[in-house]
Amino acid sequence: MSWGLLSDSMTSWEWPASLANLQAQLSTLILELGRGEGSLWSQLVKEAPNPELHPEVEWDAEVRIGDELCFREKAFLRERKRKMLDSYAKIFGVPPSELDERDLPIVAIAASGGGFRAMCNTAGALRRAQSSGILDVTTYISAISGSTWTLGALYSGVAGAFDPHAAAQHIQRRAQIPQLDSRVLDMLITPPTNKYLLAGLIQKAIAPQGSLSLVDIYGTLISARLFCPSDISALDPTHLSLSNFRRPVDDGSLPMPIFTAISRHVSPTEQAISSQQDMVVDQARVDALEREKLAVARTESRWLWYEFSPYEVGCDEIGAWIPSWSFGREFFKGKSIDRAPEVSFSILAG
């Protein structure tokens, strides 16, 4: 069924009077995502990406092979050590002149996952790390799942400042809005936030071999709650650009954030067992195949950690990296074959 037909169907349904506003909002949202003339979808498909907002559309990307740091991260480390020197001297109780930048240790904070619980916990932990001075001697912060939303609020600039206290206050305000609150739906259908939030979904859908999932929709809803400034006049499309999270990182003002995700690679043997299960009727045989599949999964299937930083996206086990602004492009023989805009952080947030 097309988006237009779905919108017409929703309009013809008998909705309770109490849900009339929700009906109107959902119908408008579906029309915006439809491919009809005048829809947001149609607008984004027809208009060329703005190089001022997306300078990457004028750049080609290449895969970097190896286990060394990229030159931009090396430059960050030099700047960060210069910034950390005085803080380390204060902690050690010695004059800065007695310390050598080359001897400063690499300290990292690892934030756990767990949805909104992890987000709030990480926000509080970073505030305390800042007040105690620990953040000033930290080089990296890694995060997964909910804790990545905290880093998104901190490094995107959506909180109004690149500061853990400002990020925590922003999260506190925005997290009070329920996921399907009418205010969230209003942001998805009302300019200028509708284009800001839905552009990521649409660009992913129209990309070569592009498709959308419930996870992408969830990330968009999360972004409506967490990655829109309270003052809409401060809305900036670069807030949803991972590569622009480098703004407080390039000069060493903050630790470098590393967003992480896990990818499970299923072995051919496990796939074959799953196919057998689909054809077996006897429950005892199904259970036996399930035990066999679990044993194979433990020994043959691989779990790979992927890293997303403001500089690069890649996996150290594979030893391949691409610029973060090129994530989402198609590559062939180590080079990008298109110049698509960077994938929105609203998609990564899912």
Side-chain angles (χ1 to χ4, degrees), residues 1 5-6 32 36 42 66 80 86 89 110 122 132 134-135 137 145 152 196 217 238 244 258 261 266 291 303-304 346:
M1 179 180 289
L5 288 175
L6 182 57
E32 289 285 39
S42 174
R80 185 61 178 166
D86 289 343
T122 302
S132 66
I134 295 299
L135 191 66
V137 295
S145 185
Y196 171 82
I217 296 172
T238 63
N244 276 294
I258 301 177
V266 179
R291 290 191 294 272
W303 298 82
L304 299 178
S346 63

Side-chain angles (χ1 to χ4, degrees), residues 8-20:
D8 292 340
S9 298
M10 290 184 61
T11 303
S12 64
W13 293 344
E14 299 249 349
W15 289 69
S18 59
L19 296 179

